[in-house]
Amino acid sequence: VNLAPQSGADHSLAAFVARTSLGPEERQALDAAAGLPRAVARGECILEQGSSPAALSILCSGVALSARSLADGRQQILSLFVPGDALDCTPFVSPSRVRISALTASTVAQIPTGTVKRLMQRHPAIMHALWGETAMHAAIQQEWMVSLGRQSAMARLAHLICELSFRFRAAGVADEDNCAFPLTQSEAADALGISVVHMNRVLQQLRKKGLVSLSRGQLSIIDKDALYLAAEFDPEYLRCGTGLI
Amino acid sequence: VNLAPQSGADHSLAAFVARTSLGPEERQALDAAAGLPRAVARGECILEQGSSPAALSILCSGVALSARSLADGRQQILSLFVPGDALDCTPFVSPSRVRISALTASTVAQIPTGTVKRLMQRHPAIMHALWGETAMHAAIQQEWMVSLGRQSAMARLAHLICELSFRFRAAGVADEDNCAFPLTQSEAADALGISVVHMNRVLQQLRKKGLVSLSRGQLSIIDKDALYLAAEFDPEYLRCGTGLI
DNA sequence: CGCAACATTGAACGGTATCAAGTATGGTGG
DNA sequence: CCACCATACTTGATACCGTTCAATGTTGCG
């Protein structure tokens, strides 16, 4: 499983534009504005909670997350980002209410806010594409809300596994039934809204039932049908560029 | 507390455009396209789960919700809409994964999908405004995710009350400490991811502690500071038009 | 009046949290 | 190469928050 950058730096946005309907003109404009991607170490912060982003960031390789930290030190992970995703382009200017950081060593292409604004004025299609990113992540968040509100811990974990493997495959960094699982049990617990201890027990149930195997960051889906069933997973919502006019 | 339509039908979009930065030209174009708002009865469905919307709907008066129904009959409420909100403009064309229905008797202005597309091509500012809607609702959903994942049932209820009263006030349909609470206990439980029984008990705790009073759909916030504290509520994220470039 | 929807209460059960160990695993410096 | 340490993972015991089931009270409405 390969989370490394693709071919050349001049195609750093390839994964992003691939799922948009942008024409060659817009692609070139974006590529020119982005320049060389920046390397971000595992755990390093890309955007602080409470600070305003100076640029639009697009993940070229690696995995990133957005999370809200609570007063008591706990946190809730709100989104995961795979290569090609725009990193929370939503609260573009105002103070961000979430922290965005790299879950694995990553590379990020950044376009200064002012440049993005100009690009969007000249190419409405670019605004459209960014809106699509916002919309797709909102759809993913809705699935998480259903999980968090109405599903057992095991269904939630199963769902997270399904979603991640599906998105990795769509991003071209995984094959059919094997992919990276870049979260520690503690981080997965923060995403699922459960405790680490319970996370561990639930994971062992999934293993014992023969649905998945997971060790040192490598995930294999063994019984896909059973896993999808346990998760009530329907990948329809992950269809990229979905729906927007 | 007044959830009824404002003045005249020719200003049905007033609440929506008020929080955008749209110029007079775009406002007129929208108003012309919208025509007369449609009345929707309490409980009536505006968009079926699984069907594709034929129009962009903007709520002129009343309260609406979006929800996902599960196989076992339970549901998770994902968003609430107050006057001026665009009703889930996200999955505009593809089959909607949520059901949108009126929580109270409402009126909805509708603009056919094709018209919206043309409007957006002519006026990028309109696309920008709709993107802003998507973004604001995504921000609200993130708050709900934190609630669902990491807060106690009481904090969740307190937060919902804070959010609703704040949004009603911003929409101009409530005063400082009194507003409608248009959800039954059963519906509120579906929004908070708890059972009806527990919802009832938690609400009584809030009442006993003297934080709120609530009966037959009328809510009064008695001890605002204590309520905000219990909810860890910070209204910053509800600032409309926030952040977008 | 009588029905239907909503709200309230009690008892028992269960999923999940918390606390408190203990066991890999990998990296670092001596 | 080994001792050491930090991080991640595993396991058990206990307590609690929230669920479920079941019943009863309340309100509004035709």
Side-chain angles (χ1 to χ4, degrees):
Chain A
V1 182
N2 168 32
L3 296 176
Q6 356 264 60
S7 48
D10 52 338
H11 292 84
S12 57
L13 297 183
F16 172 71
V17 297
R19 64 182 186 222
T20 67
S21 52
L22 293 176
E25 192 184 346
E26 285 99 6
R27 297 181 183 217
Q28 281 170 19
L30 277 174
D31 265 329
L36 279 176
R38 175 163 83 85
V40 183
R42 176 192 146 92
E44 191 180 327
C45 202
I46 298 170
L47 173 64
E48 297 281 352
Q49 185 168 324
S51 72
S52 298
L56 166 67
S57 300
I58 291 172
L59 192 63
C60 303
S61 68
V63 182
L65 61 82
S66 84
R68 164 78 55 75
S69 294
L70 275 71
D72 57 8
R74 296 181 310 171
Q75 66 170 351
Q76 174 69 41
I77 293 179
L78 298 165
S79 316
L80 297 175
F81 301 98
V82 304
D85 286 349
L87 297 182
D88 204 19
C89 51
T90 296
F92 229 29
V93 162
S94 66
S96 170
R97 300 179 56 79
V98 301
R99 171 179 48 86
I100 297 182
S101 54
L103 199 46
T104 68
S106 308
T107 55
V108 177
Q110 299 192 300
I111 307 179
T113 300
T115 307
V116 177
K117 186 171 181 177
R118 253 175 286 122
L119 280 175
M120 291 196 308
Q121 279 166 352
R122 190 174 328 222
H123 306 285
I126 290 179
M127 176 158 67
H128 193 275
L130 291 176
W131 182 19
E133 279 290 302
T134 306
M136 192 191 72
H137 277 278
I140 293 175
Q141 280 176 6
Q142 290 193 345
E143 298 297 318
W144 284 35
M145 286 178 69
V146 175
S147 263
L148 287 169
R150 285 294 179 219
Q151 304 285 180
S152 68
M154 200 170 103
R156 282 184 239 179
L157 175 56
H159 197 281
L160 178 64
I161 289 173
C162 293
E163 180 201 313
L164 262 187
S165 85
F166 197 92
R167 288 174 67 193
F168 278 144
R169 194 140 41 86
V173 293
D175 62 21
E176 184 67 14
D177 294 319
N178 297 282
C179 70
F181 191 83
L183 303 151
T184 66
Q185 292 190 12
S186 172
E187 288 160 340
D190 285 340
L192 302 178
I194 61 179
S195 68
V196 195
V197 174
H198 199 53
M199 168 70 206
N200 180 272
R201 292 187 169 123
V202 168
L203 173 57
Q204 287 176 63
Q205 283 181 45
L206 278 187
R207 289 200 265 237
K208 200 180 302 172
K209 286 199 194 173
L211 301 193
V212 303
S213 92
L214 170 56
S215 75
R216 55 193 82 190
Q218 275 303 309
L219 172 75
S220 299
I221 297 180
I222 297 172
D223 188 342
K224 190 171 175 177
D225 293 343
L227 187 67
Y228 276 29
L229 194 65
E232 291 194 31
F233 182 71
D234 166 16
E236 188 60 29
Y237 70 101
L238 290 173
R239 219 201 293 262
C240 296
T242 194
L244 250 52
I245 296 184
Chain B
V1 182
N2 169 32
L3 297 177
Q6 356 264 63
S7 50
D10 52 337
H11 292 84
S12 57
L13 297 183
F16 172 72
V17 297
R19 64 181 185 221
T20 67
S21 52
L22 292 175
E25 192 185 344
E26 285 99 7
R27 296 180 184 218
Q28 282 170 18
L30 277 173
D31 266 328
L36 278 177
R38 175 164 83 84
V40 183
R42 176 192 146 92
E44 190 180 329
C45 201
I46 298 170
L47 173 64
E48 297 280 353
Q49 185 168 325
S51 72
S52 297
L56 166 67
S57 300
I58 290 170
L59 192 64
C60 303
S61 67
V63 183
L65 62 81
S66 83
R68 163 79 56 76
S69 294
L70 276 69
D72 58 6
R74 298 179 309 170
Q75 67 170 350
Q76 173 69 41
I77 294 179
L78 298 165
S79 314
L80 297 175
F81 301 98
V82 304
D85 286 349
L87 297 183
D88 204 17
C89 51
T90 295
F92 230 28
V93 161
S94 66
S96 171
R97 301 179 55 78
V98 302
R99 170 180 48 86
I100 298 182
S101 54
L103 199 47
T104 68
S106 308
T107 55
V108 176
Q110 297 191 302
I111 308 179
T113 300
T115 308
V116 177
K117 187 171 179 176
R118 252 176 288 119
L119 280 174
M120 291 198 307
Q121 280 167 353
R122 191 175 325 228
H123 306 285
I126 290 180
M127 176 159 66
H128 193 274
L130 291 176
W131 182 19
E133 281 290 304
T134 306
M136 193 192 70
H137 277 278
I140 293 174
Q141 281 176 4
Q142 290 195 345
E143 298 296 318
W144 284 35
M145 286 178 69
V146 175
S147 264
L148 288 169
R150 288 293 180 218
Q151 304 285 180
S152 69
M154 200 171 104
R156 283 185 237 179
L157 175 56
H159 196 281
L160 177 65
I161 290 173
C162 292
E163 180 200 315
L164 261 188
S165 85
F166 197 92
R167 289 174 67 191
F168 279 143
R169 193 140 41 86
V173 292
D175 62 19
E176 183 69 14
D177 294 319
N178 298 282
C179 69
F181 191 83
L183 303 151
T184 67
Q185 292 190 12
S186 172
E187 289 160 339
D190 284 340
L192 302 178
I194 61 180
S195 68
V196 196
V197 174
H198 200 53
M199 168 71 205
N200 181 274
R201 292 186 171 125
V202 168
L203 173 56
Q204 287 178 62
Q205 284 182 45
L206 278 187
R207 288 200 265 239
K208 199 181 302 171
K209 285 198 194 176
L211 301 192
V212 304
S213 92
L214 169 56
S215 74
R216 58 194 83 187
Q218 276 303 311
L219 172 74
S220 299
I221 296 180
I222 298 172
D223 187 342
K224 189 171 175 175
D225 292 343
L227 186 67
Y228 276 30
L229 195 64
E232 291 194 29
F233 182 71
D234 166 16
E236 188 58 31
Y237 70 102
L238 290 173
R239 219 199 291 265
C240 297
T242 193
L244 249 51
I245 295 185

